[in-house]
Amino acid sequence: TSSKLVFRSVCDSFILLSKGSLWLLIVVFFIVLPAMFGVSLGVSGVYIQVLVRILQWATVRIQRGRQEQPGDLLLCLAGIIEHTGGSMEEEMEQLRLSRRPEAGDFSLSDAIYFCQKGLESIVEDQVTQRFSSEELASWNLLTRTNQNFQYISLRLTIFWVLGVFVRYGVLLPLRVALAVIGLSWLVLGTTVVGFLPESSVKNWLSELVHLTCYRICARGLSATIHYHNKENRPQKGGICVANHTTPIDVVILANDGCYAMVGQIHRGLMGVIQRSMVRSCPHIWFERSEMKDRHAVTSRLRAHVSARTKLPILIFPEGTCVNNTSVLMFKKGSFEVRGTIHPVAIKYDPRFGDAFWNSTKYSMVSYLLRMMTSWAIVVNVWYLPPMTIQ
């Protein structure tokens, strides 16, 4: 009896091992290897088309359900502040007409009206709204948007439950595995390349390691990226400036070419990755105290740009992540270097997932979990013509 139990446990272990090996081989040969060579098998395109049709169907169901719902739910979905339209002068005229004639042209209650308008301006400040997630006009079957949508119809609720199973049970394990493979390749590859002497071979190997890593990580996010005007891609010795929505911006841009990064030194896992990357490529990492001395960072950037053989520098001059609906005014430090500026515009499609990272609300781990449990990352990248200071 004991020998049968041992034999059965060995068989079960062998079956589990064989299933794990088969799954790993599928991931490596059908996802990792095509990603390393920049080849697409067309699966992501079909996946996006299916998603578009499902979301279009969900939008129709929501529109039908809204007509059948009571008015209080519609007010709940309308927003925080309900605007009646018209100018302040017209509203004040309506207030005066509603008062008794003996009250005169001015009443102390008029101050309440201006207080209300002032508070509305503070709540709906245009700049503050850029640091909160963009609300969609319709539901994308993700929990982030208004949760009242999922109860509009039974079919919609069933599709949402099936979506949760697909995103967390199928996509999440696959994406985590690809992210681990990509980051491990980056750390090991850049560490090995870092031991080589400075030469053109080392630079070529470094670019190859970085490029393959970012391509694997992009597949791990189910990223579908459309690059426009590739003839304007940043060249060596230049500075690439782009709007900033998420740390994934680096993966999106570096999936089409290598860059020298500029950023703050981190601790933990990010610190390990940064230290390994700088061994093979001249990235510019700085301490927070050094960033206060803007001239010190500018001199390092100027020294990098003066060498025409080095990779273009990637900078996000907004200085923080914005929700991809607007662009904040750029800080001028990156433009004082007086190199060739290559502007790049990045626009994410919010229907498939919210790419915005609200660092005050979510940690990096929780944000990456939200990204890996979204439907996909669909983004358009426009390379704009290079510019120089006149």
Side-chain angles (χ1 to χ4, degrees):
T1 303
S2 60
S3 60
K4 289 182 179 180
L5 292 176
V6 172
F7 178 75
R8 183 175 300 175
S9 62
V10 171
C11 291
D12 293 340
S13 301
F14 179 77
I15 292 174
L16 291 175
L17 183 62
S18 61
K19 290 182 178 179
S21 302
L22 178 62
W23 180 81
L24 184 61
L25 287 175
I26 293 175
V27 171
V28 170
F29 282 99
F30 290 97
I31 301 179
V32 175
L33 288 181
M36 295 177 67
F37 292 99
V39 178
S40 176
L41 301 180
V43 178
S44 59
V46 175
Y47 172 66
I48 295 299
Q49 292 179 1
V50 173
L51 278 179
V52 169
R53 294 187 178 184
I54 293 176
L55 295 179
Q56 288 176 347
W57 171 85
T59 302
V60 174
R61 296 296 303 180
I62 290 172
Q63 292 174 351
R64 292 179 183 175
R66 277 180 171 179
Q67 299 175 358
E68 302 172 359
Q69 293 295 332
D72 55 347
L73 176 60
L74 296 181
L75 288 176
C76 177
L77 303 178
I80 300 177
I81 300 174
E82 182 179 358
H83 297 279
T84 57
S87 63
M88 292 180 62
E89 290 80 3
E90 295 174 353
E91 294 182 11
M92 285 297 298
E93 187 65 26
Q94 293 294 328
L95 288 176
R96 290 192 179 97
L97 293 176
S98 63
R99 290 200 299 261
R100 297 178 181 178
E102 60 269 17
D105 293 334
F106 174 77
S107 177
L108 187 60
S109 60
D110 293 344
I112 303 299
Y113 170 78
F114 290 104
C115 290
Q116 173 190 346
K117 290 299 180 181
L119 290 176
E120 288 181 358
S121 299
I122 294 174
V123 171
E124 292 189 342
D125 174 59
Q126 292 183 354
V127 176
T128 305
Q129 291 180 5
R130 304 302 176 252
F131 299 101
S132 59
S133 295
E134 175 187 6
E135 281 298 332
L136 304 179
S138 184
W139 191 37
N140 59 357
L141 300 180
L142 295 175
T143 312
R144 180 190 69 80
T145 33
N146 200 310
Q147 298 185 21
N148 294 317
F149 285 143
Q150 69 196 53
Y151 305 112
I152 285 181
S153 69
L154 179 60
R155 291 183 180 180
L156 208 60
T157 304
I158 293 175
F159 264 87
W160 175 73
V161 173
L162 292 176
V164 170
F165 170 75
V166 170
R167 291 186 291 112
Y168 284 87
V170 179
L171 296 179
L172 180 60
L174 178 62
R175 291 170 176 174
V176 170
L178 290 174
V180 171
I181 293 174
L183 293 178
S184 300
W185 169 255
L186 177 65
V187 173
L188 294 176
T190 52
T191 301
V192 172
V193 172
F195 288 107
L196 299 177
E198 293 295 334
S199 62
S200 59
V201 175
K202 179 181 179 179
N203 296 334
W204 178 78
L205 289 175
S206 176
E207 294 180 16
L208 180 63
V209 169
H210 282 80
L211 194 61
T212 53
C213 161
Y214 291 126
R215 286 176 175 174
I216 294 173
C217 291
R219 298 293 173 92
L221 295 170
S222 299
T224 300
I225 313 171
H226 305 284
Y227 298 99
H228 307 274
N229 303 326
K230 286 191 174 184
E231 66 275 7
N232 296 326
R233 278 191 298 187
Q235 303 298 322
K236 292 184 177 181
I239 300 176
C240 174
V241 296
N243 57 304
H244 198 25
T245 305
T246 163
I248 308 301
D249 291 335
V250 175
V251 178
I252 299 300
L253 291 178
N255 192 60
D256 192 42
C258 294
Y259 296 89
M261 310 297 175
V262 178
Q264 177 188 335
I265 294 177
H266 293 273
R267 305 292 184 266
L269 177 60
M270 280 296 297
V272 174
I273 296 175
Q274 286 181 327
R275 288 191 293 271
S276 61
M277 290 173 61
V278 80
R279 291 191 182 100
S280 61
C281 182
H283 300 287
I284 302 175
W285 310 127
F286 53 80
E287 294 285 355
R288 184 180 296 272
S289 58
E290 185 180 356
M291 187 57 183
K292 296 179 181 178
D293 188 358
R294 186 163 52 91
H295 298 288
V297 178
T298 303
S299 62
R300 295 177 62 182
L301 294 176
R302 187 176 291 110
H304 184 101
V305 173
S306 60
R308 296 296 179 180
T309 58
K310 293 185 177 181
L311 296 175
I313 297 177
L314 176 59
I315 301 178
F316 301 104
E318 288 175 296
T320 185
C321 294
V322 187
N323 67 358
N324 208 229
T325 61
S326 304
V327 178
L328 296 184
M329 185 173 63
F330 286 176
K331 297 182 179 180
K332 64 179 182 178
S334 56
F335 304 97
E336 293 179 340
V337 180
R338 294 190 176 274
T340 302
I341 302 296
H342 299 270
V344 176
I346 308 173
K347 179 61 178 177
Y348 293 88
D349 193 331
R351 293 178 298 172
F352 307 99
D354 182 23
F356 170 60
W357 180 38
N358 188 347
S359 57
T360 61
K361 188 176 181 180
Y362 300 104
S363 64
M364 177 61 74
V365 176
S366 61
Y367 168 74
L368 291 177
L369 178 63
R370 287 165 58 88
M371 292 284 286
M372 290 186 175
T373 54
S374 297
W375 292 117
I377 301 298
V378 180
V379 56
N380 284 274
V381 177
W382 285 272
Y383 296 114
L384 306 180
M387 306 178 68
T388 55
I389 295 180
Q390 298 299 318

